[in-house]
């Protein structure tokens, strides 16, 4: 009975407006069926599409135990155990009757969802809708060692508010603080290639850190080299896959952060920014002869960034000419090491 009293107290403390957050996410309307939703509802079929917002206010579902209870299904399905009559009566009288009130008062979760959307934008909203496609929110215990008190997970198409061990009700204000991490982990798990494709953190970093700045960097390189046109090839997917494969071997990074996915966009940008500094330092901006030599060698007016297994001459990075294209290249082990020195010896190569 103490557990149920604690659950009731915890849910009462979650005060706020769920409708606001679910409307932002474009959740579909709650089912009007009279029966209670099971603790671990079945996710929507793969053929379903994420709901979009409409003129009718939308709400989310809360899964509650009516006659049985089951642990989190994140680690696999488990058989349900029927509760004793006294506990079922307590659930009915003290919990189920308050479900409408609880659905309107999940402030901590909805605040985290709202902040997530405001910070990461429409793409993040779409990603959450895609991964939590059943539009069901549950409260469950977790065995995830990364969650000390409370947090959130996404699995089986559901957003799961979770607590660790005996800490039901602890740190409620931060329950969705790590929602971006939950979305990122869910996206990696859903990828049949084992996470080689760009994950949410990488895509977010590219959009927020790389894309707004790369235009100016490209203009500078083009001007320094006197090029009529220029194409930059960041090779995001290939490079991300190479680093992911390296980390999967268990080898420690040499200099780059273990959360390298979050820095992937800005790190890629810095390689091209470093090239600007190298070209300026070698005098390309004011030397017609150097510009002409470069243009004759790199006649496709393309510059790429790539990760290779082994460098030709450099230790950490280098520039090479290949089929009319210049490549800035490094290895997975030395990703982000000495970024600004990658193009220091271009003159010697012409």
């Amino acid at each position: 009975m103490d557990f149920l009293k604690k659950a009731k107290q915890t849910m009462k403390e979650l005060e706020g407006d769920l409708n606001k957050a679910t409307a932002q996410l474009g959740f579909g309307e709650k089912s009007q069926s009279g029966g209670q939703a099971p603790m671990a509802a079945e996710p929507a079929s793969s053929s379903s599409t994420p709901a979009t917002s409409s003129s009718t206010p939308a709400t989310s579902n809360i899964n509650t135990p009516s006659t049985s209870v089951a642990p989190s299904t994140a680690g696999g399905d488990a058989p349900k155990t029927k509760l004793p009559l006294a506990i079922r009566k307590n659930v009915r009288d003290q919990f189920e009757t308050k479900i409408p009130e609880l659905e309107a008062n999940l402030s901590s979760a909805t605040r985290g969802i709202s902040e997530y959307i405001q910070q990461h934008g429409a793409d993040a909203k779409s990603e959450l809708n895609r991964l939590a496609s059943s539009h069901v929110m549950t409260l469950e215990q977790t065995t995830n060692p990364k969650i000390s008190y409370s947090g959130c997970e996404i699995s089986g198409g559901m957003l799961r508010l979770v607590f660790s061990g005996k800490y039901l009700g602890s740190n409620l204000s931060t329950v969705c603080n790590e929602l971006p991490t939950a979305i990122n982990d869910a996206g990696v798990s859903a990828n049949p290639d084992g996470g080689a494709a760009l994950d949410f953190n990488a895509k977010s970093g590219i959009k927020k850190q790389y894309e707004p700045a790369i235009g100016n960097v490209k203009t500078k390189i083009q001007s320094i080299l006197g090029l009529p046109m220029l194409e930059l090839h960041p090779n995001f997917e290939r490079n991300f896959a190479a680093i992911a494969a390296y980390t999967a071997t268990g080898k420690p990074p040499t200099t780059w952060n273990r959360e390298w996915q979050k820095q992937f966009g800005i790190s890629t940008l810095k390689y091209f920014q470093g090239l600007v500094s190298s070209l300026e330092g070698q005098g390309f901006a004011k030397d017609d002869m150097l510009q002409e030599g470069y243009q004759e060698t790199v006649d496709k007016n393309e510059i790429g960034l790539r990760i290779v297994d082994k460098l030709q001459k450099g230790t950490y990075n280098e520039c090479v000419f290949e089929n009319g294209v210049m490549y800035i290249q490094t290895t997975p082990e030395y990703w982000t090491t000495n970024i600004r020195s990658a193009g220091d010896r271009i003159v010697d190569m012409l």
Side-chain angles (χ1 to χ4, degrees):
M1 298 298 290
D2 289 341
F3 178 87
L4 291 170
K5 288 180 180 179
K6 186 65 174 178
K8 179 182 176 182
Q9 178 184 351
T10 297
M11 299 301 282
K12 281 186 176 181
E13 291 174 359
L14 296 172
E15 298 175 350
D17 186 7
L18 180 60
N19 290 340
K20 178 179 178 181
T22 52
Q24 283 182 298
L25 288 170
F27 280 178
E29 292 188 9
K30 178 187 174 185
S31 171
Q32 299 301 316
S33 62
Q36 295 295 335
M39 175 61 92
E42 290 294 327
S45 64
S46 59
S47 62
S48 63
T49 58
T52 57
S53 58
S54 64
S55 59
T56 303
T59 60
S60 177
N61 294 332
I62 297 179
N63 282 354
T64 61
S66 54
T67 58
S68 61
V69 66
S72 170
T73 58
D77 294 333
K80 295 183 178 181
T81 304
K82 192 169 184 178
L83 294 171
L85 178 61
I87 296 181
R88 280 185 282 148
K89 183 178 183 303
N90 183 276
V91 170
R92 183 197 66 187
D93 296 343
Q94 299 187 36
F95 185 79
E96 292 180 356
T97 58
K98 297 184 180 296
I99 288 176
E101 175 186 347
L102 296 173
E103 287 185 332
N105 291 282
L106 286 170
S107 65
S108 298
T110 59
R111 183 169 58 251
I113 294 172
S114 297
E115 291 174 354
Y116 159 79
I117 294 173
Q118 292 171 5
Q119 182 178 359
H120 297 284
D123 290 342
K125 170 182 170 180
S126 298
E127 184 77 352
L128 177 55
N129 264 319
R130 181 180 72 84
L131 295 171
S133 56
S134 66
H135 299 160
V136 171
M137 185 183 296
T138 70
L139 174 64
E140 306 176 22
Q141 188 177 33
T142 182
T143 58
N144 186 342
K146 295 181 180 180
I147 297 177
S148 300
Y149 298 99
S150 63
C152 59
E153 301 172 344
I154 297 177
S155 63
M158 291 179 283
L159 175 60
R160 305 174 187 271
L161 308 182
V162 298
F163 61 93
S164 177
K166 61 182 180 180
Y167 294 110
L168 175 63
S170 299
N171 293 9
L172 296 178
S173 61
T174 61
V175 67
C176 278
N177 275 16
E178 295 301 320
L179 181 58
T181 300
I183 291 171
N184 189 73
D185 292 344
V188 171
S189 298
N191 180 26
D193 295 327
L198 293 176
D199 65 13
F200 172 76
N201 284 332
K203 289 186 285 188
S204 178
I206 291 169
K207 185 175 182 64
K208 294 167 62 176
Q209 298 173 318
Y210 176 88
E211 293 180 356
I214 193 59
N216 289 335
V217 175
K218 176 182 175 181
T219 299
K220 288 181 180 180
I221 296 174
Q222 189 172 342
S223 175
I224 292 170
L225 294 174
L227 302 175
M229 61 172 290
L230 175 65
E231 292 185 25
L232 299 180
H233 301 291
N235 292 318
F236 290 125
E237 289 79 8
R238 171 179 170 174
N239 293 339
F240 186 92
I243 302 173
Y246 178 82
T247 59
T249 64
K251 297 178 181 178
T254 302
T255 58
W256 38 271
N257 193 294
R258 289 186 180 275
E259 293 187 330
W260 59 271
Q261 299 93 330
K262 295 181 179 179
Q263 303 298 319
F264 186 69
I266 189 65
S267 296
T268 300
L269 175 67
K270 286 180 178 179
Y271 273 100
F272 290 113
Q273 290 175 330
L275 179 62
V276 171
S277 298
S278 294
L279 293 173
E280 289 177 336
Q282 293 171 80
F284 278 87
K286 299 179 180 180
D287 194 319
D288 294 342
M289 184 177 295
L290 289 179
Q291 292 178 358
E292 181 180 352
Y294 178 88
Q295 294 166 13
E296 290 177 351
T297 304
V298 189
D299 54 9
K300 289 186 178 180
N301 296 331
E302 298 178 18
I303 300 174
L305 172 64
R306 68 186 183 184
I307 293 179
V308 296
D309 294 332
K310 184 178 180 180
L311 299 179
Q312 295 180 10
K313 296 181 179 180
T315 301
Y316 304 110
N317 48 53
E318 64 187 3
C319 283
V320 297
F321 302 139
E322 187 176 300
N323 300 322
V325 178
M326 184 173 78
Y327 290 100
I328 307 168
Q329 60 184 31
T330 184
T331 62
E333 181 181 5
Y334 292 113
W335 171 251
T336 73
T337 302
N338 293 359
I339 288 179
R340 301 181 69 86
S341 65
D344 284 352
R345 306 182 69 85
I346 293 177
V347 172
D348 299 338
M349 299 165 55
L350 296 176

